Amino acid sequence: MKKLLALLLSICVIGCNSNNNFDNDSVTCTVIFQVDGQVYDMVIVKYGETAVLSKEHPKKEGNLFIGWDKPLDDIKVNTTVNAVWEKEKYN
């Protein structure tokens, strides 16, 4: 797990990847989805595109998933987003 986390962090530090011809179609960015500080999913998107979670939205007992703390559209840099929760209200 520590090796995976180190790899993911190094990807974030490096920045978006390109093949040096600076054609936006060749640039990719990594988007890391985190839940409670843990990596939940990671996707690679083309420069300027929208990131889409590759699995179901996260679930957390006693909470409703509201969304992510940053926009997922027009991704132009490596991005880490965190799940936003709201406590469930019981009647």
Side-chain angles (χ1 to χ4, degrees):
M1 182 66 176
K2 288 182 181 180
K3 288 182 182 180
L4 175 61
L5 185 56
L7 173 65
L8 294 175
L9 290 175
S10 67
I11 291 170
C12 288
V13 171
I14 292 170
C16 291
N17 303 313
S18 76
N19 63 10
N20 294 331
N21 69 7
F22 301 106
D23 174 9
N24 285 349
D25 287 337
S26 66
V27 177
T28 59
C29 299
T30 303
V31 178
I32 298 172
F33 296 84
Q34 288 191 154
V35 174
D36 295 333
Q38 300 292 316
V39 174
Y40 181 74
D41 196 13
M42 180 177 73
V43 297
I44 297 172
V45 298
K46 287 184 180 179
Y47 181 90
E49 290 192 352
T50 298
V52 177
L53 191 65
S54 68
K55 52 173 106 176
E56 287 184 26
H57 287 294
K59 293 176 176 46
K60 183 175 174 181
E61 190 173 330
N63 293 271
L64 296 172
F65 174 73
I66 301 301
W68 303 100
D69 66 344
K70 296 177 189 162
L72 298 176
D73 60 331
D74 199 28
I75 300 293
K76 294 183 178 174
V77 297
N78 290 333
T79 304
T80 299
V81 296
N82 297 285
V84 177
W85 304 97
E86 182 177 283
K87 289 277 186 194
E88 285 188 279
K89 297 176 181 149
Y90 298 99
N91 294 330

